[in-house]
Amino acid sequence: MRVVSWNVNGIRACVKKGFADFLERAQADIVGVQEVRALYEEIPDEARAPAGWHTAFVAAERRGYSGVGIYSRLAPERVETALGEAQFDIEGRYIAAHFRTERGRFAVVNAYFPKGDGKNRDNSRVPYKLDFYRAVFERIQRMRRRCPTLVIGDYNTAHREIDLARPKANVKNSGFLPVERAEIDRWLEAGWVDAFRALHPDEPDRYSWWTQRGGARERNVGWRIDYVLASPAAMKRVEGAFIWPERKGSDHCPVGIDIDL
């Protein structure tokens, strides 16, 4: 089974750049998208209900902002669309799908973690970002006791220096602040596994997001901020992990894993 995560930076724009073709060619069984930035009825038909896919979306109350969705070949038994805290749920950042196969149950959480820089790039939204991390963490800790669990999405944090091209220039910027990186540490210390880094521990220059300024993508001056984190039970079944920088259509590229579920 292939599970893919992609921040599409606006589903309507991504559709114009080949999203439907991506769905057909990715050979994926589950695809989580972030930053949908559209209400359900605003999503183009080919992305809202493509043939052969079950879909579920969560939109933000604010138009053209945030939003997440899940595509799956297998029908989910149930889908969660809220964390139960209004400050997070109004921004449409969380969706979780629960599945059952012949091998048993598993869950895929798709989250769009907030940026911390704030409107004035003053790191004013870091507390909100960390609170969201903690709310998701509390939910997935309970979830993993019941079944293998994957947490996919745009985490908006580069964990280690190897995960961004300019670590020294960004130590005071949200996305690479010590307090943000420490939150990722906390998850890993609790047993969650960064699937790509576990299988490619020392592989440099592997990024999933590039600023759209200054030809950063062409020069590969990027950040790895999109992850698949696996619970211990799920990680035992992971067979491969990948990043697809050649896939255009967004300022992020898809990331994912192959897993025996």
Side-chain angles (χ1 to χ4, degrees), residues 152-230:
I152 68 176
D154 176 0
Y155 283 69
N156 262 311
T157 300
H159 181 220
R160 297 165 48 202
E161 289 191 358
I162 195 174
D163 295 319
L164 71 167
R166 302 286 187 266
K168 292 181 180 179
N170 286 285
V171 291
K172 295 183 179 180
N173 295 329
S174 180
F176 197 58
L177 294 174
V179 67
E180 296 168 325
R181 297 166 64 194
E183 183 63 15
I184 299 288
D185 285 335
R186 186 171 76 95
W187 288 39
L188 301 187
E189 289 165 3
W192 293 90
V193 182
D194 175 351
F196 180 83
R197 194 50 75 196
L199 297 179
H200 306 272
D202 302 310
E203 196 168 314
D205 306 323
R206 300 301 305 274
Y207 309 127
S208 63
W209 173 80
W210 303 261
T211 178
Q212 298 182 66
R213 300 187 300 271
R217 189 160 189 168
E218 291 73 19
R219 295 183 294 118
N220 198 29
V221 180
W223 299 52
R224 190 176 73 94
I225 57 176
D226 301 87
Y227 302 143
V228 177
L229 263 59

Side-chain angles (χ1 to χ4, degrees), residues 1-2 28-31 52-56 70-79 97-108 261:
M1 181 176 290
R2 176 165 289 173
D29 300 281
I30 298 171
V31 176
W53 292 93
H54 302 272
T55 62
I70 283 185
Y71 297 79
S72 60
R73 296 289 191 184
L74 175 68
E77 288 191 323
R78 63 186 176 91
V79 176
H98 298 259
F99 300 93
R100 185 184 296 273
T101 68
E102 293 180 356
R103 295 203 61 184
R105 299 164 56 200
F106 70 95
V108 177
L261 290 171

Side-chain angles (χ1 to χ4, degrees), residues 16-38:
K16 294 177 181 178
K17 298 173 184 177
F19 180 75
D21 178 71
F22 162 76
L23 279 182
E24 287 301 311
R25 294 177 178 271
Q27 298 183 316
D29 300 281
I30 298 171
V31 176
V33 291
Q34 306 89 41
E35 208 169 350
V36 174
R37 288 168 36 191

Side-chain angles (χ1 to χ4, degrees), residues 36-56:
V36 174
R37 288 168 36 191
L39 300 176
Y40 180 77
E41 59 271 19
E42 295 173 333
I43 300 172
D45 290 343
E46 57 265 49
R48 184 172 61 237
W53 292 93
H54 302 272
T55 62

